[in-house]
Amino acid sequence: MSTDFQQFLSLADESFQQTFREIFGGGEAQLSLQQEEDPFTAGVEIMVKMPGKKAQSLNLLSGGERALTCIAFIFALLRLRPAPFCLLDEIDAALDQTNLVRFAHFIKNMAESTQFIVITHRQATIEAGKKIYGVTMPQNGVSSVLSLTLPEVESIAG
Amino acid sequence: MSTDFQQFLSLADESFQQTFREIFGGGEAQLSLQQEEDPFTAGVEIMVKMPGKKAQSLNLLSGGERALTCIAFIFALLRLRPAPFCLLDEIDAALDQTNLVRFAHFIKNMAESTQFIVITHRQATIEAGKKIYGVTMPQNGVSSVLSLTLPEVESIAG
Amino acid sequence: MHLKRLEIKGFKSFADYTEIHLDPGMNIIVGPNGCGKSNVVDAIRWVLGEPNIRQLRGQRNEDIIFNGSDEKRPLGMAMVEITIDNSNHVLPLDYNEVTLARKYYRSGESEFFINRSPVRLKDINQLFTGTGMGKQGYSIIGQGELETVLKGQPFDRRLMLEEAS
Amino acid sequence: MHLKRLEIKGFKSFADYTEIHLDPGMNIIVGPNGCGKSNVVDAIRWVLGEPNIRQLRGQRNEDIIFNGSDEKRPLGMAMVEITIDNSNHVLPLDYNEVTLARKYYRSGESEFFINRSPVRLKDINQLFTGTGMGKQGYSIIGQGELETVLKGQPFDRRLMLEEAS
Ligand SMILES: Nc1ncnc2c1ncn2[C@@H]1O[C@H](COP(=O)(O)OP(=O)(O)OP(=O)(O)O)[C@@H](O)[C@H]1O
Ligand SMILES: Nc1ncnc2c1ncn2[C@@H]1O[C@H](COP(=O)(O)OP(=O)(O)OP(=O)(O)O)[C@@H](O)[C@H]1O
Ligand SMILES: [Mg+2]
Ligand SMILES: [Mg+2]
């Protein structure tokens, strides 16, 4: 008979499996409870399999693969237990063009039901935005913020 | 009367000050020995001042400012004590366009006297290269390497 | 519930008064290195009741007050105010709009306000209990923090999931 | 001294034989996520004598042998060979060209070679003593390792500088 946490974990696992497949366009992912006598102190294991590759321990994944796996995990939690808003600071830094476009597409959909505030340097992510703010320092050391349109971004994004 | 290490530290400090100013186009940087009774166990302090801003403790710097400061430190050591070759894996990830161009310019000069092998996704860094290799996986899970020219990079860089 | 407006004065690099109106959907912040983007995230964390200066990349509490530049002298106070749309009453208050404000003076004094009434820091923190925005949260991912999800011990992941459940 | 040629077979994602000729100046490696760029860095570290599998993102020694994909079966051995231009005799050998090779079998056996002569791992490591490529080195910065320069304790920075001096 499973604990409250084990029940929640099974929901989180389901959400993670689905979110992972959507974001990576395939592959498999799983959350599971460590095999330990006490189910109240056992930790949570993550297993992922990239499309076409074998299941690997997380440490053997590439920088971009790990980043997108973490993003899938966070988005899986947000879908299961929506937060009122989500702040993301340059989480797309390690993604290549293909993965970046997937990420931008995915987050644009999630923004239908959750408010996002996203700091980014990447064009695809910027284009998913409803509102764009440019932060600059026309005077050294003093920040200044202005609302931007997409064409204006070119000159300001670092 | 200073120890061997203190003498080397003063050379490293000089190289770091100069390299930092060149890379940032201004500002100041300094390495110094912590004030401790035993000069053999004292650690090394770093102080930096970005152009136009006040001297800050490192933790208050931005992601890009910290990245470029670390790059200045490593390049300062390389100029002082050249290594036969230098391997850099995506160290330009956090730099904005302006800092990236400075970095690319700087590393291109250093490559006159030191061999560099640089993994990057950034266009300015790619253009500083003499030889370009593209790594792909035409067959899932199996890497394949081919020599590329600059125009060919567009299709392959992630 | 969503964030509507952010007002910042004297907080870190925001020496001048700054007002940011947020869309209920997708907001993007861009700009060069070191211009203040992550400082906006710090400002939001701070006004929502972050007690630990180290979570805001500081070492001493006064690190969050504008400490001057080549052309401007240091300021004596940091202030951040956030206006939240509460029409679905996620926050346990009878208002459709909730404004939180936080001030910190170089003297070491702090002030906290909910809809202009002075409160204590714990009152602000208690406002968010059960809204999914706790300490182990997954709703604020700071710069360089993305991999902590995977990198930690399996037990830390459990804690994060328990927070969510 | 500079690296001239790298040959890889069976190491991590390099199931097929791969040969890379390096320029004495600036070499750039590009490609999508997960295609093997950082694995090239791991291969260079490995053939130059890295004893610790954790420095190569592995947990068990056999993690560096190609372990199969959906279309290819696992291999039984990993091999990396590096050819070094030694015309300035930075390496204490009488040759203008030095070739180092390292093999690892699933059985757990290892083989090491300098110019085709079998040697031990420590012989390869001792070759580089005093060339500025030691453990605290600043000549190999892996993915995500850039900030370790600043982030560590002041004493770690000292160790890195002592290594350089
Ligand atoms: N109390 C303070 N007073 C004045 N300036 C400060 C203060 N605290 C931090 N800063 C400055 O704010 C800048 C950091 O801003 P921030 O981290 O928001 O940059 P960023 O826009 O996120 O850049 P990046 O793209 O590099 O991450 C630094 O230059 C830092 O010196
Ligand atoms: N022993 C192994 N057998 C087969 N594949 C492996 C092995 N070890 C690692 N890999 C695979 O190699 C890939 C990682 O490659 P690498 O880290 O070089 O990517 P990368 O090109 O640097 O990508 P990124 O741009 O995301 O950093 C992973 O997909 C991983 O699963
Ligand atoms: Mg930032
Ligand atoms: Mg990599």
Side-chain angles (χ1 to χ4, degrees), chain B residues 8 39 41-42 44 46 66 73 81 84-87 89 115-116 118-120 130-131 133 135 137 139 143, chain D residues 3 13 21 23 25-30 34-35 37-38 71 138-139 141 147 149-150 154 157-158 161 165:
Chain B
F8 177 73
T41 58
V44 173
I46 300 185
R66 262 206 312 278
F73 181 72
R81 290 276 189 278
F85 60 86
C86 187
L87 263 57
D89 195 342
Q115 179 182 41
F116 279 90
V118 179
I119 297 175
T120 183
K130 192 89 181 297
K131 232 178 174 183
Y133 277 103
V135 187
M137 274 189 172
Q139 204 187 124
S143 295
Chain D
L3 309 178
S13 58
H21 293 257
D23 188 273
M26 178 86 148
N27 298 274
I28 299 288
I29 300 179
V30 298
C35 65
K37 306 179 297 295
S38 300
E71 300 152 26
Y138 50 93
S139 62
I141 310 289
E147 289 205 3
V149 171
L150 293 192
R157 273 174 230 152
R158 174 182 187 130
L161 286 165
S165 64

Side-chain angles (χ1 to χ4, degrees), chain A residues 56-131:
Chain A
Q56 301 271 3
S57 49
L58 295 176
N59 39 288
L60 283 173
L61 294 181
S62 82
E65 290 171 335
R66 263 207 309 279
L68 202 53
T69 299
C70 296
I71 289 168
F73 181 73
I74 288 158
F75 283 179
L77 287 184
L78 279 171
R79 281 168 137 184
L80 187 62
R81 289 275 190 278
F85 60 86
C86 187
L87 263 57
L88 305 170
D89 195 341
E90 293 195 35
I91 68 170
D92 54 14
L95 306 179
D96 64 26
Q97 193 55 31
T98 309
N99 283 332
L100 181 69
V101 167
R102 293 197 137 113
F103 163 74
H105 182 75
F106 204 92
I107 195 176
K108 188 169 182 176
N109 279 340
M110 297 205 61
E112 307 273 312
S113 51
T114 299
Q115 180 183 42
F116 278 89
I117 299 163
V118 180
I119 297 175
T120 183
H121 291 292
R122 315 289 302 273
Q123 193 60 26
T125 308
I126 294 168
E127 287 172 12
K130 193 92 180 297
K131 230 177 176 182

Side-chain angles (χ1 to χ4, degrees), chain C residues 47-104:
Chain C
V47 74
L48 295 182
E50 176 58 62
N52 184 357
I53 190 70
R54 290 182 183 287
Q55 288 293 338
L56 308 178
R57 293 176 289 158
Q59 284 171 329
R60 301 175 310 257
N61 281 333
E62 54 174 348
D63 285 346
I64 51 101
I65 306 175
F66 177 74
N67 60 18
S69 67
D70 277 3
E71 299 152 26
K72 225 176 177 101
R73 312 165 112 222
L75 293 174
M77 171 186 89
M79 189 283 305
V80 178
E81 193 169 292
I82 194 162
T83 304
I84 302 170
D85 181 300
N86 191 37
S87 13
N88 58 2
H89 294 283
V90 167
L91 299 180
L93 291 171
D94 246 341
Y95 300 92
N96 283 345
E97 212 177 78
V98 176
T99 296
L100 308 177
R102 182 173 184 172
K103 298 182 185 178
Y104 183 74

Side-chain angles (χ1 to χ4, degrees), chain B residues 28 47-58 60-61, chain C residues 60 67-70:
Chain B
E28 290 164 37
M47 184 291 295
V48 301
K49 178 188 167 328
M50 296 293 147
K53 298 180 184 176
K54 269 200 167 178
Q56 301 273 2
S57 49
L58 296 175
L60 283 174
L61 295 180
Chain C
R60 301 175 310 257
N67 60 18
S69 67
D70 277 3

Side-chain angles (χ1 to χ4, degrees), chain B residues 78-79 82-84 107-116, chain D residues 1 24-25:
Chain B
L78 279 171
R79 283 168 135 186
I107 196 177
K108 188 169 182 177
N109 281 340
M110 297 205 61
E112 306 273 313
S113 51
T114 300
Q115 179 182 41
F116 279 90
Chain D
M1 168 187 151

Side-chain angles (χ1 to χ4, degrees), chain C:
Chain C
M1 168 185 152
H2 63 263
L3 310 178
K4 285 176 74 166
R5 189 170 69 248
L6 188 66
E7 291 163 77
I8 310 174
K9 167 94 175 121
F11 182 90
K12 291 202 171 190
S13 58
F14 288 89
D16 297 338
Y17 175 79
T18 302
E19 196 168 320
I20 300 173
H21 292 257
L22 295 163
D23 189 275
M26 177 85 149
N27 298 273
I28 298 288
I29 301 178
V30 298
N33 291 141
C35 67
K37 306 181 295 296
S38 300
N39 288 347
V40 173
V41 174
D42 291 338
I44 293 173
R45 275 179 144 145
W46 189 67
V47 74
L48 295 182
E50 176 58 62
N52 184 357
I53 190 70
R54 290 182 183 287
Q55 288 293 338
L56 308 178
R57 293 176 289 158
Q59 284 171 329
R60 301 175 310 257
N61 281 333
E62 54 174 348
D63 285 346
I64 51 101
I65 306 175
F66 177 74
N67 60 18
S69 67
D70 277 3
E71 299 152 26
K72 225 176 177 101
R73 312 165 112 222
L75 293 174
M77 171 186 89
M79 189 283 305
V80 178
E81 193 169 292
I82 194 162
T83 304
I84 302 170
D85 181 300
N86 191 37
S87 13
N88 58 2
H89 294 283
V90 167
L91 299 180
L93 291 171
D94 246 341
Y95 300 92
N96 283 345
E97 212 177 78
V98 176
T99 296
L100 308 177
R102 182 173 184 172
K103 298 182 185 178
Y104 183 74
Y105 298 85
R106 252 184 224 288
S107 57
E109 271 180 72
S110 284
E111 290 177 332
F112 310 91
F113 302 88
I114 296 177
N115 285 344
R116 315 243 166 262
S117 304
V119 298
R120 301 153 303 174
L121 178 59
K122 57 190 280 231
D123 299 316
I124 293 195
N125 278 310
Q126 280 171 2
L127 212 55
F128 292 97
T129 313
T131 60
M133 293 171 49
K135 282 291 149 278
Q136 235 76 36
Y138 49 94
S139 61
I140 301 183
I141 312 287
Q143 197 164 2
E145 291 176 10
L146 180 61
E147 288 206 3
T148 36
V149 172
L150 291 192
K151 263 188 180 162
Q153 291 302 318
F155 191 68
D156 297 326
R157 273 173 231 152
R158 175 184 186 127
L159 292 177
M160 185 196 224
L161 285 166
E162 285 186 332
E163 175 73 30
S165 65

